[in-house]
């Protein structure tokens, strides 16, 4: 892909270079999300992302939606060993037993959190005082923060897997709990 023409293309974060990543960057990344189904989707996708590029996950995202019942946590929480084996044979997703098992276990915890707090949205946005954290001028992009550390610790305490602080921070960026668009990026001020 050629560099953007400054007269026709808006300035974006440097990582948005492919058609998929540009669409994701422009339409989703950093947009505050309060829909529990979407929050569950990103919980699964960020767990699958561990050790891989986000581009890999974006290419497989549609397959994940089909494989995981459109990210319905009630359905995913009921997956049995037969369904897990079927997922392990699905070349359209990351076929890692630990990641697939964690998606099922995390769905169960997700439902417990919904029951306790009324919604996962109500639970998760508490970690940023219900406000998007904005990247400050000249601030170095962090791999994790005190907020993602706290979210990670709490999710792990509740039994979640693949929710280390770096994964949690990536989740927070994806769902708009953190706005880490570069200040020169056209999306920084829009969000």
């Amino acid at each position: 892909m050629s560099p953007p023409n400054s007269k026709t293309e808006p300035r974006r974060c440097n990582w948005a270079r492919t058609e998929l990543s540009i669409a994701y960057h422009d339409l989703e990344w950093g947009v505050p999300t309060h829909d529990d189904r979407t929050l569950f989707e990103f919980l699964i996708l960020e767990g699958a992302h561990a050790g891989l590029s986000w581009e890999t996950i974006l290419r497989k995202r549609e397959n994940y939606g089909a494989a995981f019942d459109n990210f319905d946590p009630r359905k995913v929480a009921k997956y049995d060993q037969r369904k897990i084996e079927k997922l392990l044979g699905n070349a359209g997703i990351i076929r890692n037993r630990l990641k697939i098992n964690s998606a099922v276990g995390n769905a169960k915890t997700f439902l417990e959190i919904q029951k306790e707090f009324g919604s996962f949205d109500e639970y998760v946005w508490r970690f940023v005082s219900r406000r998007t954290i904005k990247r400050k001028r000249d601030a170095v992009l962090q791999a994790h923060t005190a907020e993602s550390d706290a979210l990670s610790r709490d999710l792990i305490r509740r039994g979640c897997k693949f929710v280390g602080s770096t994964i949690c921070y990536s989740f927070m960026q994806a769902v708009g709990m953190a706005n880490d668009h570069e200040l020169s990026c056209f999306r920084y001020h829009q969000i």
Side-chain angles (χ1 to χ4, degrees), residues 33 39 113 119-128 151 171-172 175 177:
T33 303
L39 293 169
I113 290 170
S119 69
F120 191 78
D121 171 65
E122 188 64 31
Y123 161 77
V124 78
W125 277 86
R126 298 175 316 124
F127 290 91
V128 292
L151 175 59
F171 168 85
M172 291 168 68
V175 302
M177 293 170 68

Side-chain angles (χ1 to χ4, degrees), residues 94-113:
I94 306 303
R95 295 180 290 179
N96 177 300
R97 185 177 298 277
L98 294 175
K99 290 179 180 183
I100 291 170
N101 284 337
S102 77
V104 176
N106 290 355
K108 293 173 184 173
T109 302
F110 187 94
L111 295 174
E112 291 168 7
I113 290 170

Side-chain angles (χ1 to χ4, degrees), residues 43 106 109 113 120 123-124 127 149-161 163 168 171:
L43 191 65
N106 290 355
T109 302
I113 290 170
F120 191 78
Y123 161 77
V124 78
F127 290 91
D149 292 347
L151 175 59
S152 174
R153 276 191 309 273
D154 196 66
L155 287 171
I156 290 169
R157 180 184 65 78
R158 292 170 181 275
C160 285
K161 306 281 188 227
V163 289
C168 282
F171 168 85

Side-chain angles (χ1 to χ4, degrees), residues 29-180:
W29 194 66
V31 175
T33 303
H34 298 283
D35 173 66
D36 272 15
R37 193 217 54 83
T38 304
L39 293 169
F40 181 66
E41 174 182 358
F42 279 102
L43 191 65
I44 287 181
L45 294 177
E46 292 295 348
H49 174 215
L52 301 169
S53 74
W54 186 245
E55 186 73 24
T56 297
I57 301 305
L58 287 176
R59 284 195 309 265
K60 294 179 178 285
R61 187 177 184 185
E62 190 175 319
N63 297 329
Y64 264 91
F68 285 89
D69 287 296
N70 196 33
F71 303 105
D72 182 337
R74 291 176 308 279
K75 291 181 180 178
V76 176
K78 293 178 182 174
Y79 287 1
D80 58 13
Q81 200 54 46
R82 195 172 81 210
K83 175 66 174 181
I84 290 169
E85 291 302 322
K86 185 177 177 185
L87 289 170
L88 285 167
N90 184 339
I93 66 170
I94 306 303
R95 295 180 290 179
N96 177 300
R97 185 177 298 277
L98 294 175
K99 290 179 180 183
I100 291 170
N101 284 337
S102 77
V104 176
N106 290 355
K108 293 173 184 173
T109 302
F110 187 94
L111 295 174
E112 291 168 7
I113 290 170
Q114 281 183 321
K115 186 175 181 179
E116 181 180 343
F117 290 88
S119 69
F120 191 78
D121 171 65
E122 188 64 31
Y123 161 77
V124 78
W125 277 86
R126 298 175 316 124
F127 290 91
V128 292
S129 301
R130 294 174 176 68
R131 284 197 168 113
T132 299
I133 300 168
K134 287 195 163 211
R135 185 173 174 185
K136 305 281 190 270
R137 181 174 303 281
D138 299 323
V140 176
L141 188 60
Q142 302 294 311
H144 64 91
T145 62
E147 294 86 357
S148 69
D149 292 347
L151 175 59
S152 174
R153 276 191 309 273
D154 196 66
L155 287 171
I156 290 169
R157 180 184 65 78
R158 292 170 181 275
C160 285
K161 306 281 188 227
F162 284 92
V163 289
S165 189
T166 301
I167 290 173
C168 282
Y169 194 62
S170 186
F171 168 85
M172 291 168 68
Q173 292 170 311
V175 302
M177 293 170 68
N179 178 358
D180 274 330

